[in-house]
Amino acid sequence: TAPDGFGAVSFDSGDITEYLTRGILPAHTSVTDQTGFASAAFEYAFTIPAGASKEVHIAVPFHARTGQNPSPYHSDGGSAFVKRAFDESVKFWREKLDHVRITLPAQYRDVINTVKSNLAYILINRDGPGIQPGSRNYERSWIRDGSLTSTALLELGVQTEVREYLDWYAMFQYPSGKIPCVVDKRGADATAEHDSHGEFIYAIKTYFNFTHDTTWLREKFDRVVKTVRFIQSLRAERKTDKYKNGTDEDRALYGLVPESISHEGYSDHPRHSYWDDFFILRGLKDAADIARVLGHTALEKEFAAERDDFKTDLYASMRQAMKNKNIDYIPGCAELGDFDATSTTIGIMPAGELGNIPEPALHNTFDKYFSYFTARRLDSLKWQNYTPYENRTIGSFVYLDEKERAQEAMKFFMHDRRPAAWNHWAEVVWHDSATPKFIGDMPHTWVGSDFIRSVRAMFVYEREYDDALVVGAGIPEAWISDPSGVSVERLPTYYGTVSYTIKRTSRLHVAIALSADFKKIPNGKIVIKSPMHGPVKSVSVNGKSVRTFTPSEITIGVLPARIELSY
């Protein structure tokens, strides 16, 4: 829209605000400023009657104009250009945010709105192909949060941006096979953070899990092999006689990767973090599977042997560390015996080690966390702040079949969105929201991706130990008791997209309609978790009574399926 006036001023001659406070514009309509701090203003003169409106259209060249849009400069204020650009933007966001549709009763829809908002914020925070947790303090791209955020995108049907990110990040791999922890405008950061190597392989395999693009996977295989070789070199540093036969403290480090500061709690002093080791194990598991998919039999056997050897050393280390510190929970690192359930979540997912992590220490860890969480929620202990990376514990409780705890955690964290209607979190949440201290970036989209992945687990997740697809593990009775019930459409999984509805039809009956575009049923079949508190008494699938159920879950091997549960 053509302005009624325009004025510009160089930095040495003042500032535009000095003119605007006097209600005038500078006399010059063009200036050159060697400092780069020139300022200027448009003037629009109009009168708006009560109840009327006026639009001013402005095209800002943040980037090159693309597509077939006409030139925006027209006597009508560029109305055609603005309409087309606006329609294109709406189309883009609808395609990204509505690929998956999950419908909950009205009183619970904030959950899904928050998922969709954080998907949008993740895409907004991107810088070119780089996935970033923020656009201010965290204007850098880590493989750590990038791998987990990529998972959240894939779980919501967004693939192109993940591929672009991984193609771009892979270019920064060092000749040694080392994966840099972070990349920014200066290039790769050489800081040693040993979670990055496993995260890189995990991200590649996760992209393949959702796309089944073997051509792309084959292009990345050499980089995967180099990464495994680097992991092997790191482990060799802790496979010496000192760590095999040394002190109790030394033996707790045997076979691990060396200490690093990837876990920010150890930024003051590097530690042998189990956060690193869970990701290393994840990477080795995925490397062996990638070799299998691509038919590299010899490498598959080698990587599988490395995986199994590392798993043995990892859990021996944990048991030794717990013994050294006389603790009954999983420590955050081998040296300190520190309590850090938000870190231990990585062992459950994405590492997929539920059933292998030492028990009862694992359950003790999350019982201890929930006791602390409850005390904080009830304000029965003094607390100042927390980091809402804890959103990932929502998912942990789902995987542990403790969905009531998952719901309590989600309700608490949802309360700390700031502002609530914007559906996002800062990196640091203060008990007093007016506290004038560090909050990190807001929205912080690694935190947002933790929420997305946790909520997705409530509706569906892939169970690694038996290759089953688990449906509805986090859906509470309250959601299905509303007349509208729960509806899920086109939710991506490793096997294809799944759709279903769950509704309570009477006090003792639940109806489920399940369909999918799977090429084949998972080897472990489809496991539906009971949404009601009481034990399941009988089940029918497509009108026929079946016995493949327990009091809390139903296993089916046919699709589509109409399932009736009686309690």
Side-chain angles (χ1 to χ4, degrees):
T1 303
D4 295 298
F6 175 78
V9 60
S10 65
F11 182 71
D12 290 340
S13 300
D15 183 87
I16 194 68
T17 56
E18 296 174 13
Y19 291 84
L20 299 183
T21 53
R22 291 183 280 145
I24 61 174
L25 290 171
H28 296 290
T29 57
S30 175
V31 297
T32 299
D33 191 330
Q34 298 301 322
T35 68
F37 295 124
S39 54
F42 291 112
E43 179 183 47
Y44 292 92
F46 49 82
T47 300
I48 302 179
S53 65
K54 178 179 176 62
E55 286 189 2
V56 172
H57 301 152
I58 300 175
V60 183
F62 287 128
H63 48 76
R65 190 159 52 91
T66 59
Q68 301 301 313
N69 281 332
S71 170
Y73 309 112
H74 293 282
S75 59
D76 68 349
S79 295
F81 169 83
V82 169
K83 183 179 186 307
R84 183 173 298 187
F86 180 79
D87 289 346
E88 286 182 356
S89 184
V90 169
K91 180 183 177 183
F92 170 85
W93 286 112
R94 280 182 174 161
E95 287 177 351
K96 296 298 181 185
L97 303 186
D98 291 340
H99 179 84
V100 174
R101 292 187 180 180
I102 300 176
T103 306
L104 300 181
Q107 63 267 42
Y108 306 113
R109 287 177 188 165
D110 265 5
V111 174
I112 303 306
N113 289 341
T114 301
V115 166
K116 293 172 70 173
S117 293
N118 279 279
L119 169 57
Y121 293 137
I122 288 168
L123 298 176
I124 290 167
N125 270 349
R126 288 176 78 223
D127 192 350
I131 292 173
Q132 301 180 161
S135 291
R136 294 173 294 279
N137 292 299
Y138 298 108
E139 181 73 5
R140 311 177 80 193
S141 185
W142 282 262
I143 190 62
R144 176 163 51 251
D145 54 82
S147 65
L148 295 173
T149 303
S150 292
T151 300
L153 292 175
L154 292 164
E155 290 175 344
L156 294 179
V158 178
Q159 298 179 355
T160 300
E161 287 79 358
V162 174
R163 179 171 179 158
E164 290 174 352
Y165 169 68
L166 296 175
D167 284 344
W168 169 74
Y169 208 98
M171 295 188 299
F172 295 95
Q173 184 177 28
Y174 289 94
S176 64
K178 174 183 177 179
I179 300 297
C181 60
V182 63
V183 174
D184 59 20
K185 294 176 182 178
R186 297 169 295 180
D189 191 321
T191 301
E193 296 189 5
H194 295 318
D195 58 341
S196 60
H197 324 301
E199 288 155 355
F200 177 71
I201 301 173
Y202 157 71
I204 289 173
K205 181 58 166 45
T206 303
Y207 178 81
F208 173 79
N209 288 342
F210 282 95
T211 65
H212 305 287
D213 187 342
T214 52
T215 300
W216 182 86
L217 187 66
R218 190 169 286 108
E219 292 173 359
K220 294 292 180 285
F221 187 61
D222 285 347
R223 295 189 181 276
V224 170
V225 173
K226 288 175 64 177
T227 308
V228 174
R229 298 287 179 242
F230 188 74
I231 291 172
Q232 290 171 327
S233 72
L234 290 175
R235 291 195 66 212
E237 296 181 28
R238 294 295 178 270
K239 298 277 274 186
T240 64
D241 185 68
K242 172 185 176 182
Y243 298 101
K244 185 176 182 179
N245 300 309
T247 65
D248 289 348
E249 287 72 21
D250 288 336
R251 287 188 291 109
L253 309 180
Y254 181 77
L256 306 182
V257 293
E259 65 270 37
S260 88
I261 62 168
S262 61
H263 183 301
E264 293 180 355
Y266 310 134
S267 57
D268 62 327
H269 186 80
R271 307 288 184 186
H272 289 78
S273 168
Y274 292 124
W275 169 279
D276 286 358
D277 294 302
F278 277 131
F279 273 115
I280 291 295
L281 179 56
R282 176 74 269 169
L284 291 173
K285 290 199 289 186
D286 287 337
D289 207 35
I290 290 170
R292 178 191 59 78
V293 168
L294 298 178
H296 294 281
T297 305
L299 286 174
E300 178 194 355
K301 291 180 179 178
E302 179 192 348
F303 295 168
E306 188 76 33
R307 171 201 66 202
D308 295 343
D309 183 66
F310 182 70
K311 183 182 291 188
T312 297
D313 291 344
L314 170 60
Y315 295 129
S317 167
M318 281 186 186
R319 292 185 175 93
Q320 184 65 51
M322 289 188 284
K323 180 181 178 182
N324 290 347
K325 299 300 180 181
N326 192 28
I327 57 175
D328 63 354
Y329 55 83
I330 303 297
C333 69
E335 292 93 335
L336 300 179
D338 51 326
F339 176 76
D340 189 355
T342 311
S343 172
T344 305
T345 57
I346 296 301
I348 298 176
M349 190 62 68
E353 286 296 291
L354 187 61
N356 295 324
I357 301 172
E359 291 285 13
L362 178 64
H363 274 77
N364 290 345
T365 301
F366 286 93
D367 288 346
K368 182 179 175 70
Y369 167 79
F370 194 73
S371 295
Y372 162 75
F373 166 83
T374 301
R376 184 178 60 189
R377 177 172 61 85
L378 298 176
D379 276 334
S380 59
L381 60 77
K382 289 184 178 180
W383 64 278
Q384 290 187 321
N385 61 33
Y386 72 92
T387 57
Y389 296 116
E390 289 183 42
N391 267 312
R392 66 179 76 115
T393 64
I394 300 170
S396 296
F397 287 126
V398 172
Y399 299 124
L400 291 167
D401 286 330
E402 296 177 348
K403 68 180 179 182
E404 290 78 14
R405 287 182 171 184
Q407 288 291 321
E408 288 190 44
M410 183 170 67
K411 183 178 179 180
F412 177 83
F413 298 134
M414 289 278 284
H415 176 74
D416 286 330
R417 294 168 296 162
R418 295 282 189 273
W422 289 14
N423 296 334
H424 67 180
W425 290 268
E427 186 188 22
V428 180
V429 169
W430 292 86
H431 186 270
D432 177 359
S433 60
T435 300
K437 291 187 177 181
F438 180 80
I439 63 168
D441 271 324
M442 187 174 74
H444 192 284
T445 46
W446 184 14
V447 167
S449 77
D450 285 334
F451 183 79
I452 291 172
R453 291 182 298 106
S454 286
V455 171
R456 189 258 190 177
M458 292 180 170
F459 296 97
V460 68
Y461 70 85
E462 296 80 8
R463 195 163 67 188
E464 185 171 339
Y465 72 82
D466 64 350
D467 193 20
L469 186 70
V470 180
V471 172
I475 295 177
E477 189 171 317
W479 290 3
I480 61 128
S481 296
D482 185 275
S484 60
V486 171
S487 172
V488 173
E489 299 178 54
R490 302 188 305 273
L491 188 57
T493 74
Y494 294 177
Y495 313 100
T497 61
V498 64
S499 300
Y500 63 84
T501 60
I502 304 181
K503 185 183 298 185
R504 187 174 184 172
T505 54
S506 71
R507 188 174 69 88
L508 297 176
H509 295 87
V510 171
I512 302 172
L514 179 67
S515 62
D517 66 350
F518 298 173
K519 291 184 178 179
K520 73 180 190 71
I521 301 291
N523 293 333
K525 299 187 178 180
I526 298 169
V527 174
I528 300 170
K529 296 286 187 175
S530 170
M532 303 256 293
H533 290 297
V536 177
K537 296 292 183 63
S538 66
V539 177
S540 70
V541 177
N542 293 333
K544 296 181 179 180
S545 178
V546 301
R547 296 179 178 274
T548 54
F549 68 93
T550 70
S552 61
E553 63 181 42
I554 304 92
T555 302
I556 65 169
V558 296
L559 287 172
R562 290 178 294 103
I563 305 153
E564 301 286 338
L565 309 182
S566 298
Y567 293 82

